[in-house]
Amino acid sequence: GIMSHSSVYVNGLKAGSWPYGYSSFAFDITDLVKPGETNVIAVYVNNPGDSSRWYPGAGIYRHVRLVELNPIHIDHWGVAITTPEVTEAHGTLNVKTTIANAASSNPSAVTVRTTVLCPEGTPCGSEESREDLSDNFTFEHSLVVTKPQRWSIETPVQYTVRTEVLVDGEVVDTVDTRFGFRTLRFDPNLGFFINDQPVKMKGVCLHHDLGPLGAALNVTALRRQLQMLKDMGCNAIRTGHTPPAPELPALASEMGILILDELFDEWKYSQQGNGYHILWDEWAEKDLRALIKRDRNHPSVIMW
């Protein structure tokens, strides 16, 4: 959420760049930080004109966080949840967890524990496995939940996957990821189905800004905006025409709204002089991967 063509510096040294002003991203600044001293993080932006068909704002306009981690930790957006089979009797889920190991080349005994929490917060399944790691590694767990409460527009019920990383028996990292049990089906003759029930999408194309409040993210205002849309009968949002703030699909999953995640206003060919076409060849796949990895676990997201 830095508009746009941003570069991040730590203590005068460049940590990285990300030009697209709507993408979420993270940089590892471990080697640039001076422990025990005053550290300066500076962000440079170059926001050219003629980059959009609307006013895009400028500068940092979404939440920023500094994350301190154990050298062995869950990778950025490293938990991927799928629900390959969902029925009234049971729901199966597959959880892939990518562990980043920046400790050393010496193998460490790493255990990943995956626990499913029911909507009320009680555990309803768990699995763990152990590997000796000297590099990054992806753990995979499969679990079954009996009689799952299914996510829908009318009943936006969510479960939680709690992922814990243990090194030598000590928990060194924990991430909670919300998800929903639901099936999606598109039929060329009969339309769209959630949980085998036909659904007519009554949607709007919603730009990321909040009208006269501006482009800066305001979660309370965003929730109010979504509630107003629901009150007028809206049940779906196409994110016109860019990746939204991560709070949007999270709120939509909580409130029962479908999200069609849109990435770009233009592709390889120009609509505006400084539009996305100048980034397409080098950045389109990177921006696509960033959005899919960030939003893939939200039950509200039904289309990319």
Side-chain angles (χ1 to χ4, degrees), residues 81-146:
I81 303 168
T82 55
T83 53
E85 185 177 9
V86 181
T87 67
E88 287 188 9
H90 68 272
T92 62
L93 63 149
N94 180 270
V95 183
K96 294 181 179 178
T97 305
T98 300
I99 300 300
N101 185 355
S104 68
S105 58
N106 296 323
S108 299
V110 177
T111 298
V112 169
R113 179 191 299 143
T114 301
T115 304
V116 184
L117 303 178
C118 289
E120 63 273 16
T122 59
C124 50
S126 183
E127 184 174 325
E128 66 179 57
S129 51
R130 176 187 175 280
E131 295 285 342
D132 292 332
L133 304 184
S134 57
D135 204 346
N136 294 3
F137 186 80
T138 299
F139 290 78
E140 186 169 357
H141 292 155
S142 294
L143 301 97
V144 177
V145 173
T146 58

Side-chain angles (χ1 to χ4, degrees), residues 36-90:
E37 299 183 24
T38 298
N39 291 268
V40 177
I41 299 176
V43 177
Y44 169 84
V45 300
N46 175 22
N47 199 39
D50 295 326
S51 62
S52 299
R53 293 180 294 110
W54 56 87
Y55 173 65
I60 302 172
Y61 66 101
R62 293 178 182 169
H63 291 315
V64 179
R65 55 191 60 83
L66 182 66
V67 183
E68 183 180 2
L69 294 164
N70 187 281
I72 298 175
H73 56 271
I74 300 164
D75 201 13
H76 186 50
W77 300 324
V79 177
I81 303 168
T82 55
T83 53
E85 185 177 9
V86 181
T87 67
E88 287 188 9
H90 68 272

Side-chain angles (χ1 to χ4, degrees), residues 24-296:
S24 297
F25 61 90
F27 295 136
D28 182 357
I29 63 172
T30 305
D31 295 336
L32 304 179
V33 171
K34 299 176 181 178
E37 299 183 24
T38 298
N39 291 268
V40 177
I41 299 176
V43 177
Y44 169 84
V45 300
N46 175 22
N47 199 39
D50 295 326
S51 62
S52 299
R53 293 180 294 110
W54 56 87
Y55 173 65
I60 302 172
Y61 66 101
R62 293 178 182 169
H63 291 315
V64 179
R65 55 191 60 83
L66 182 66
V67 183
E68 183 180 2
L69 294 164
N70 187 281
I72 298 175
H73 56 271
I74 300 164
D75 201 13
H76 186 50
W77 300 324
V79 177
I81 303 168
T82 55
T83 53
E85 185 177 9
V86 181
T87 67
E88 287 188 9
H90 68 272
T92 62
L93 63 149
N94 180 270
V95 183
K96 294 181 179 178
T97 305
T98 300
I99 300 300
N101 185 355
S104 68
S105 58
N106 296 323
S108 299
V110 177
T111 298
V112 169
R113 179 191 299 143
T114 301
T115 304
V116 184
L117 303 178
C118 289
E120 63 273 16
T122 59
C124 50
S126 183
E127 184 174 325
E128 66 179 57
S129 51
R130 176 187 175 280
E131 295 285 342
D132 292 332
L133 304 184
S134 57
D135 204 346
N136 294 3
F137 186 80
T138 299
F139 290 78
E140 186 169 357
H141 292 155
S142 294
L143 301 97
V144 177
V145 173
T146 58
K147 296 183 178 180
Q149 300 179 59
R150 285 183 277 186
W151 187 95
S152 69
I153 293 171
E154 297 76 21
T155 59
V157 178
Q158 293 188 87
Y159 289 70
T160 299
V161 163
R162 176 162 294 164
T163 307
E164 297 172 289
V165 181
L166 298 87
V167 177
D168 297 327
E170 179 186 356
V171 176
V172 297
D173 197 11
T174 303
V175 168
D176 283 356
T177 308
R178 302 186 82 186
F179 75 100
F181 285 105
R182 50 96 170 108
T183 60
L184 307 176
R185 178 163 61 92
F186 292 88
D187 186 288
N189 299 312
L190 300 176
F192 173 60
F193 292 76
I194 299 178
N195 302 322
D196 291 325
Q197 298 298 313
V199 173
K200 293 292 187 291
M201 283 185 249
K202 303 171 184 177
V204 299
C205 171
L206 188 68
H207 283 224
H208 81 99
D209 66 323
L210 292 162
L213 294 183
L217 176 67
N218 180 319
V219 177
T220 301
L222 179 58
R223 182 187 291 275
R224 173 180 176 271
Q225 186 182 55
L226 296 183
Q227 188 60 54
M228 291 172 68
L229 289 171
K230 279 182 67 75
D231 291 346
M232 75 180 218
C234 170
N235 65 10
I237 291 171
R238 177 169 65 96
T239 65
H241 306 270
T242 57
E247 287 79 3
L248 176 67
L251 284 173
S253 295
E254 175 188 319
M255 299 172 69
I257 301 173
L258 306 177
I259 295 294
L260 288 66
D261 251 340
E262 188 166 79
L263 278 109
F264 314 114
D265 182 48
E266 64 180 57
W267 290 14
K268 194 176 178 67
Y269 303 103
S270 171
Q271 292 190 89
Q272 302 290 320
N274 291 311
Y276 194 83
H277 70 279
I278 66 176
L279 303 174
W280 177 266
D281 288 339
E282 182 180 355
W283 285 94
E285 183 174 337
K286 298 174 186 176
D287 286 316
L288 177 63
R289 288 181 181 274
L291 180 65
I292 290 176
K293 290 183 75 174
R294 190 195 75 181
D295 287 358
R296 58 189 169 184

